[in-house]
Amino acid sequence: RCTRCGATLYTRRKNTLNRSLALVLTAAVLFIAANAFPFLSLNSQGNVVDSNLLSGAVALFEEGNVLLSSVVLLTTFVFPLAHLLGLTYILLLLKFRRKPWRMRSIFRFVRHAQPWGMLEVLLLAVLVSSVKLADFAIVIPGVALYSFAGLILILAAVDSVLDPHLIWRLTGGRP
């Protein structure tokens, strides 16, 4: 409470550790599905081409755009994977009442790496390009596209449910 006006400044949410862990594990399953299955298929004059999340970065690398390929790979795969792995590690160990090794630095990295995972931007780019390509080819959405959209929604839910204050308190420290 504010000492001056008495307004509530912060309230603890109930059961955030279990909710966050359930959502992060769901996001991990969706992340695996989004990377394991075809994202989009293009059918143009009988030629069908499948693509997945990593094929864009690979195609840019093969064309000689190493820097752009690296940025695409980092923002669409590496940072989201690091975010999910870090949160899973921290939440699982806190759930079983163990203090994770180097937990504070891992959680600090997770919090700083989160904005660099630009999955929403990628989904928007895919949807815009699918609309543009619809005149030239038949665009067939794959299982990974739906998994990817679900992943974005689940990650938004994780951000709203996760209580960083609780995690810092359980580790006995400040951010």
Side-chain angles (χ1 to χ4, degrees):
R1 293 206 167 267
C2 176
T3 56
R4 185 169 182 208
C5 68
T8 303
L9 298 177
Y10 174 75
T11 57
R12 288 194 182 141
R13 301 176 207 140
K14 295 182 182 186
N15 205 12
T16 60
L17 198 61
N18 289 330
R19 290 179 188 175
S20 298
L21 182 58
L23 289 170
V24 165
L25 292 175
T26 303
V29 170
L30 290 173
F31 186 79
I32 291 168
N35 285 289
F37 295 105
F39 197 76
L40 284 176
S41 297
L42 295 175
N43 185 349
S44 177
Q45 299 176 352
N47 294 329
V48 178
V49 178
D50 290 331
S51 64
N52 58 26
L53 282 178
L54 296 177
S55 64
V58 170
L60 288 169
F61 181 78
E62 289 173 349
E63 290 178 9
N65 295 325
V66 177
L67 183 61
L68 184 58
S69 170
S70 301
V71 169
V72 169
L73 182 67
L74 286 172
T75 58
T76 61
F77 186 78
V78 175
F79 284 126
L81 179 64
H83 181 241
L84 286 174
L85 289 176
L87 279 180
T88 303
Y89 174 73
I90 291 166
L91 292 172
L92 273 176
L93 290 179
L94 287 177
K95 169 77 174 151
F96 296 114
R97 302 191 192 289
R98 295 184 180 201
K99 186 175 180 182
W101 177 76
R102 308 229 357 119
M103 184 274 188
R104 296 185 63 178
S105 58
I106 292 172
F107 191 59
R108 196 171 283 120
F109 173 76
V110 165
R111 300 292 285 176
H112 289 297
Q114 179 183 2
W116 289 98
M118 300 187 187
L119 299 177
E120 302 87 2
V121 175
L122 178 65
L123 183 63
L124 184 62
V126 166
L127 293 176
V128 168
S129 62
S130 296
V131 170
K132 297 273 187 189
L133 286 173
D135 293 337
F136 305 108
I138 299 171
V139 179
I140 306 163
V143 173
L145 180 63
Y146 298 112
S147 299
F148 192 71
L151 173 65
I152 291 172
L153 294 173
I154 295 295
L155 286 177
V158 167
D159 290 341
S160 90
V161 169
L162 183 67
D163 187 3
H165 298 289
L166 174 67
I167 293 176
W168 291 123
R169 187 174 55 84
L170 290 174
T171 59
R174 292 179 156 197

